[in-house]
Amino acid sequence: MRGTLLRLVSLWILGVSAAPAPSEPTPATIRSAADKAIPLIRKSVEEYPRHRECFSCHHQAIPALALSLAKARGIAIGGTTLQDIAAHTQADLESALDDYKKEKGQPGGSERAGYALFTLETAGHPRDEVTDAVAGYLLAAHKDRDHWRTQSNRPPSEASDFTATYLAVRALQAFGTPDQKDRVAGRLDAARSWLRTATPRDNEDRVFRLFAVKAAGMPADAVEGARSDLLSRQNDDGGWAQLDGNASDAYATGSALVALHLAGGVPADDRSYLRGLSALIGTQRADGSWLVVSRSKPFQTYFESGFPHGKDQFISVAASSWAASALLLAVPRP
C-alpha cells in the first residue's frame, strides 16, 4: 500500500496521470486546452529577452511553432510576437556574423544554427546576408561525415544527431543560396544514406528521424518505417516517454504527435493521435502549462522567465510549446 501511494504521489509531482485518460477528447476540450496554454507561452517568450540576449530553442524555436499554429487557427498571440521572436533570433546571429562567414559558428554548433534558421523560417523571415552565412556554415559543418552531429549533451533538445541532421536539412532547403545548390544536394544525398541505416535510441531520435526522412524527400517506405517505429512506442496512457520504460511526459508526447502529423501524415482525428491528446489534456496544469523535469545540468545563472516550475521552467516551456502545437494541429482553421 505504501509503495502504491508513493508511486501515485511521484506521478502527481511529475504531472503524469496515474490512470489512462479518456480515449477521445472533444473538439471543444482540445480547443480549450490550447487556448489556456498559448497566453502563458507568449508571456514567457516576451519575458525571456529581458534577461538573455542569446537565442534558445526553448524560448524561441519551439514556441514560434506553437504561436504560428495558434495564429493560423484564429487564436490571438499579439500583433508582433512572432516578429519579436525573429528579431531576437536575427540579432543573436548577427552578433556572430563574422564567425559564420568564417564557418566557425557559435557555441551549440549546427543544432543552434539549425534551430535559429527554423525559427526564422517559421516566423516568415526572408533570406538575407545573415541566413546566407549561416547556411554556408551548415554546409561546412561536419562535412567529413554523412550527417550532422550534436555538439551538446543537454537532453532531450540538444543530444541527438537526428535532431541536428533534420534541422540542417530543413535550414539548407529553406535558406540555401543558388550558388550553394550543388553542395546542398551533395549533403542531402549523404544524409539520406545515413538515415537509411542509423538506429534511433530514444524518443527524440525517433521523432526527428521521422522529421528528417520526410524533409529529405526519402521514399514512402522510409517514412512509413519511421512513422511505425514512433507509433509503436505509444504508452498505455496514450502518451510517449523521453526514455523507453519511463512515464509519459508532455515534451515526448507533444513532439511525437507533431512529427506523426506533419511528417508522418497521421490525421489529427486518428485514434492514436486523439489518445495522445487525451494524455496531454489530462496532465495540463490549471495555469495552462505542463511540468517536465529537466534532465540537463544547468550551466547558466538562474533567472525567472515568466513561466512556472522553477528550475524546470526551460524544458517545461519547450514541452508546453510542443503540447500546444499538437493540440492546435487538431483545431480546425477558421
Side-chain angles (χ1 to χ4, degrees), residues 18 29 40 56 69 105 107 116 119 150 158 197 204 213 218 222 260 295 313 329:
T29 303
L40 185 59
S56 71
L69 289 170
T119 305
T150 180
E158 297 178 78
T197 58
E204 182 81 354
V213 296
M218 295 182 68
L260 286 167
R295 294 164 50 209
Q313 64 188 284
L329 289 170

Side-chain angles (χ1 to χ4, degrees), residues 50 63 68 88 113 120 146 153 157 183-185 224 270 272 279 300:
R50 300 186 177 105
S68 67
H88 182 88
L120 293 180
D146 54 6
N153 185 25
S157 304
R183 294 170 63 199
V184 169
E224 169 59 28
D270 180 86
S272 294
Q300 292 184 346

Side-chain angles (χ1 to χ4, degrees), residues 299-312:
F299 69 94
Q300 292 184 346
T301 303
Y302 176 83
F303 68 93
E304 287 289 341
S305 71
F307 204 82
H309 309 313
K311 64 182 180 61
D312 299 311

Side-chain angles (χ1 to χ4, degrees), residues 22-25 30 268-279 330:
S23 59
E24 291 191 7
I30 295 170
D269 59 357
D270 180 86
R271 186 168 185 274
S272 294
Y273 197 95
L274 290 173
R275 288 181 62 228
L277 294 187
S278 288

Side-chain angles (χ1 to χ4, degrees), residues 94-164:
E94 282 181 345
S95 70
L97 182 56
D98 287 343
D99 284 333
Y100 277 112
K101 288 181 176 180
K102 296 173 184 176
E103 299 178 347
K104 293 181 179 179
Q106 292 173 285
S110 57
E111 263 177 315
R112 177 174 179 167
Y115 261 127
L117 291 189
F118 171 90
T119 305
L120 293 180
E121 180 195 353
T122 302
H125 186 83
R127 248 194 64 209
D128 58 20
E129 178 188 18
V130 175
T131 65
D132 288 355
V134 179
Y137 162 75
L138 287 171
L139 276 174
H142 313 293
K143 60 185 177 183
D144 57 333
R145 296 179 177 272
D146 54 6
H147 65 288
W148 285 264
R149 300 193 66 186
T150 180
Q151 292 173 239
S152 303
N153 185 25
R154 302 184 66 218
S157 304
E158 297 178 78
S160 169
D161 288 358
F162 288 93
T163 304

Side-chain angles (χ1 to χ4, degrees), residues 72-98:
R73 280 149 180 83
I75 297 176
I77 64 168
T80 63
T81 303
L82 280 172
Q83 292 90 335
D84 291 344
I85 289 174
H88 182 88
T89 304
Q90 179 80 349
D92 180 68
L93 294 176
E94 282 181 345
S95 70
L97 182 56
D98 287 343

Side-chain angles (χ1 to χ4, degrees), residues 1-315:
M1 179 68 181
R2 183 172 179 270
T4 301
L5 180 61
L6 287 173
R7 179 175 179 272
L8 290 172
V9 170
S10 65
L11 288 170
W12 177 83
I13 291 172
L14 291 173
V16 177
S17 178
S23 59
E24 291 191 7
T26 66
T29 303
I30 295 170
R31 174 66 185 246
S32 176
D35 284 340
K36 192 162 58 172
I38 290 300
L40 185 59
I41 294 170
R42 177 191 168 191
K43 175 186 175 183
S44 190
V45 164
E46 292 174 347
E47 180 67 23
Y48 178 90
R50 300 186 177 105
H51 304 272
R52 288 289 185 275
E53 294 180 355
C54 63
F55 164 82
S56 71
C57 61
H58 46 77
H59 269 87
Q60 278 81 49
I62 308 173
L65 175 62
L67 293 171
S68 67
L69 289 170
K71 182 179 180 181
R73 280 149 180 83
I75 297 176
I77 64 168
T80 63
T81 303
L82 280 172
Q83 292 90 335
D84 291 344
I85 289 174
H88 182 88
T89 304
Q90 179 80 349
D92 180 68
L93 294 176
E94 282 181 345
S95 70
L97 182 56
D98 287 343
D99 284 333
Y100 277 112
K101 288 181 176 180
K102 296 173 184 176
E103 299 178 347
K104 293 181 179 179
Q106 292 173 285
S110 57
E111 263 177 315
R112 177 174 179 167
Y115 261 127
L117 291 189
F118 171 90
T119 305
L120 293 180
E121 180 195 353
T122 302
H125 186 83
R127 248 194 64 209
D128 58 20
E129 178 188 18
V130 175
T131 65
D132 288 355
V134 179
Y137 162 75
L138 287 171
L139 276 174
H142 313 293
K143 60 185 177 183
D144 57 333
R145 296 179 177 272
D146 54 6
H147 65 288
W148 285 264
R149 300 193 66 186
T150 180
Q151 292 173 239
S152 303
N153 185 25
R154 302 184 66 218
S157 304
E158 297 178 78
S160 169
D161 288 358
F162 288 93
T163 304
T165 297
Y166 164 70
L167 292 170
V169 166
R170 177 166 177 160
L172 290 174
Q173 289 175 327
F175 291 105
T177 70
D179 291 343
Q180 296 167 343
K181 183 178 179 180
D182 290 342
R183 294 170 63 199
V184 169
R187 291 302 306 263
L188 294 187
D189 281 342
R192 283 188 281 266
S193 296
W194 177 72
L195 287 165
R196 289 188 190 99
T197 58
T199 302
R201 302 167 300 170
D202 57 21
N203 192 74
E204 182 81 354
D205 281 358
R206 295 183 194 103
V207 163
F208 281 92
R209 178 175 67 159
L210 177 53
F211 274 133
V213 296
K214 181 67 174 180
M218 295 182 68
D221 62 334
V223 177
E224 169 59 28
R227 177 177 60 228
S228 297
D229 188 22
L230 183 55
L231 273 171
S232 72
R233 307 293 175 149
Q234 189 170 24
N235 288 335
D236 291 340
D237 65 358
W240 278 259
Q242 291 181 42
L243 300 175
D244 294 348
N246 284 13
S248 301
D249 68 79
Y251 184 99
T253 302
S255 60
L257 290 173
V258 172
L260 286 167
H261 182 73
L262 293 182
V266 175
D269 59 357
D270 180 86
R271 186 168 185 274
S272 294
Y273 197 95
L274 290 173
R275 288 181 62 228
L277 294 187
S278 288
L280 292 174
I281 293 168
T283 55
Q284 187 179 25
R285 299 299 180 95
D287 59 14
S289 72
W290 285 264
L291 167 62
V292 173
V293 175
S294 178
R295 294 164 50 209
S296 297
K297 293 182 179 179
F299 69 94
Q300 292 184 346
T301 303
Y302 176 83
F303 68 93
E304 287 289 341
S305 71
F307 204 82
H309 309 313
K311 64 182 180 61
D312 299 311
Q313 64 188 284
F314 289 176
I315 185 61

